[in-house]
């Protein structure tokens, strides 16, 4: 009898040990972020919030890599995240997502992207509803129609709108196409100015301010990172700068009807949990988008430029 009790005790200990081990899984989450700026940072912060809430801070570790805008770093860091055996990779911005996607494909590591305007055009998914590959995530496609309509309401006499864009960023090319189509409906003309490196910003902005009534900064990582340069030149010339996102409002932007990047980060976090904990395949998880916006108006910039804010906009601004 004692022999059987001893065997039973051993089995119980083994079962308890296995149960304890399964309950204390520590997930390895690799993160690759293209560059530093507030909107991209917010998508990371939103991720961490959800992981803390759904997994608990002791049940995951994050290997965070920031490429600081360098394409070479993006590729090297993405490969490192794969080589280090992370369970999943969270990629912030299109170039980072494309690098992570390529590096993770042969290893079978799922990728959750964020702040990618057009995941289909970027080659990350087959369709928004059915990604069909080893990646899914969250699109930050801006409501360009609403934003240009807000610009036109604030500047009813405006005709020509300047747009700087990185010729090597897929996100930007997509947004330019959308903006040109939407501008036509409002009687606006888009004057676009391509750049290929940060050192082009000053010259390109100087050229634009001579031709336009306002500048609209799209969600282009190179341009957004140089917001202070753009607004400095534009404000000196008496040209207001609008933006697709709110992260640079304190750097001289006049207004933005922006989506919330912190919320995008939370949506990305929920997708990460769905894959890690619930065992879902990224191929079957639809790409998430948001349509709600928040209007921000910089009253100091408006006063400096002598722009009167219509009551219809002032009443809903934060």
């Amino acid at each position: 009898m004692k022999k059987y009790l001893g065997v039973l005790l051993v089995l119980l200990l083994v079962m308890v040990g296995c149960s304890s081990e399964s309950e204390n899984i520590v997930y390895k989450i690799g993160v690759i972020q293209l560059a530093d700026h507030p909107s991209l940072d917010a998508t990371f912060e939103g991720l961490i919030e959800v992981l803390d809430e759904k997994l608990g801070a002791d049940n995951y570790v994050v290997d965070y890599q920031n490429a600081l805008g360098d394409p070479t770093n993006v590729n090297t860091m993405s490969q490192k995240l794969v080589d280090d055996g992370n369970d999943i990779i969270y990629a912030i911005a299109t170039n980072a997502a494309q690098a992570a996607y390529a590096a993770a494909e042969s290893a079978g590591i799922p990728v959750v992207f964020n702040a990618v305007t057009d995941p289909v055009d970027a080659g990350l998914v087959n369709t928004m509803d059915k990604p069909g590959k080893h990646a899914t995530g969250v699109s930050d496609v801006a409501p360009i129609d609403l934003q240009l309509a807000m610009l036109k309401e604030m500047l009813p006499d405006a005709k020509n709108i300047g747009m700087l864009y990185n010729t090597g960023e897929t996100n930007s090319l997509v947004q330019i196409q959308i903006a040109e189509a939407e501008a036509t409906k409002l009687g606006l003309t888009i004057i676009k100015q391509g750049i290929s490196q940060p050192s082009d910003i000053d010259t390109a902005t100087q050229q634009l301010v001579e031709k336009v009534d306002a500048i609209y900064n799209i969600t282009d990582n190179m341009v957004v990172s140089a917001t202070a340069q753009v607004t400095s030149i534009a404000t000196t010339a008496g040209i207001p700068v609008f933006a697709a996102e709110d992260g640079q409002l304190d750097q001289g932007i006049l207004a933005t009807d922006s989506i919330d990047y912190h919320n995008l980060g939370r949506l990305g976090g929920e997708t990460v949990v769905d894959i890690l904990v619930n065992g879902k395949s990224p191929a079957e998880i639809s790409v998430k988008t948001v349509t709600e916006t928040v209007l921000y108006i910089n009253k100091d910039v408006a006063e400096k430029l002598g722009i009167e804010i219509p009551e219809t906009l002032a009443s809903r601004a934060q």
Side-chain angles (χ1 to χ4, degrees):
M1 185 68 176
K2 290 182 179 179
K3 178 180 179 181
Y4 290 121
L5 287 173
V7 172
L8 181 59
L9 180 60
V10 170
L11 288 172
L12 286 171
L13 288 172
V14 170
M15 291 172 65
V16 170
C18 290
S19 175
S20 175
E21 184 178 349
S22 64
E23 290 174 0
N24 292 309
I25 296 174
V26 176
Y27 298 103
K28 295 176 64 178
I29 302 169
V31 176
I32 174 69
Q33 180 172 322
L34 177 62
D36 272 329
H37 70 66
S39 295
L40 300 187
D41 294 343
T43 66
F44 176 65
E45 292 161 4
L47 164 74
I48 298 302
E49 271 191 11
V50 171
L51 294 180
D52 284 346
E53 293 168 7
K54 299 291 180 69
L55 302 181
D58 295 331
N59 294 324
Y60 72 92
V61 292
V62 169
D63 182 356
Y64 175 81
Q65 304 287 324
N66 190 320
L68 301 175
D70 187 329
T72 302
N73 288 344
V74 169
N75 294 325
T76 302
M77 290 174 176
S78 294
Q79 189 59 54
K80 179 182 184 300
L81 293 177
V82 171
D83 294 342
D84 288 348
N86 283 284
D87 298 311
I88 196 166
I89 297 176
Y90 183 77
I92 305 172
T94 300
N95 291 1
Q98 290 172 319
Y101 178 91
E105 185 170 13
S106 60
I109 298 173
V111 173
V112 174
F113 54 77
N114 212 323
V116 174
T117 298
D118 190 338
V120 177
D121 192 69
L124 300 171
V125 298
N126 291 333
T127 68
M128 297 287 277
D129 290 334
K130 296 182 178 180
K133 301 183 179 182
H134 64 286
T136 188
V138 185
S139 167
D140 69 339
V141 59
I144 294 175
D145 55 343
L146 298 180
Q147 294 173 343
L148 288 179
M150 178 269 293
L151 183 157
K152 183 67 173 179
E153 186 173 355
M154 191 175 293
L155 304 176
D157 296 328
K159 297 296 182 184
N160 297 320
I161 309 303
M163 295 178 70
L164 293 165
Y165 71 102
N166 178 1
T167 55
E169 187 166 333
T170 302
N171 268 1
S172 304
L173 300 174
V174 171
Q175 290 175 84
I176 290 290
Q177 292 173 356
I178 295 171
E180 289 177 328
E182 294 298 333
T184 301
K185 301 174 186 177
L186 297 168
L188 298 171
T189 300
I190 299 299
I191 308 296
K192 56 192 177 185
Q193 187 74 45
I195 58 173
S196 58
Q197 54 193 355
S199 58
D200 296 336
I201 293 284
D202 280 359
T203 300
T205 305
Q206 291 282 6
Q207 292 172 343
L208 270 185
V209 297
E210 296 173 3
K211 309 171 187 175
V212 301
D213 303 303
I215 291 176
Y216 170 58
N217 271 9
I218 56 176
T219 56
D220 179 300
N221 293 297
M222 187 180 293
V223 175
V224 171
S225 297
T227 296
Q229 289 175 258
V230 175
T231 57
S232 175
I233 294 169
T235 301
T236 299
I239 301 296
V241 180
F242 295 77
E245 57 188 72
D246 64 354
Q248 309 295 319
L249 195 70
D250 62 347
Q251 295 188 31
I253 293 294
L254 172 59
T256 177
D257 211 356
S258 175
I259 56 178
D260 184 345
Y261 276 78
H262 185 268
N263 185 35
L264 293 183
R266 290 190 60 86
L267 291 174
E270 291 170 4
T271 300
V272 169
V273 171
D274 253 357
I275 293 170
L276 290 179
V277 179
N278 301 327
K280 291 187 179 180
S281 166
E284 301 171 352
I285 302 175
S286 298
V287 177
K288 295 181 174 71
T289 59
V290 295
T291 56
E292 300 82 6
T293 62
V294 179
L295 175 62
Y296 297 94
I297 298 174
N298 191 324
K299 294 179 181 178
D300 292 337
V301 173
E303 184 177 349
K304 186 173 184 178
L305 292 173
I307 295 172
E308 184 175 346
I309 303 169
E311 180 56 32
T312 51
L313 295 178
S315 61
R316 71 179 182 92
Q318 296 294 307

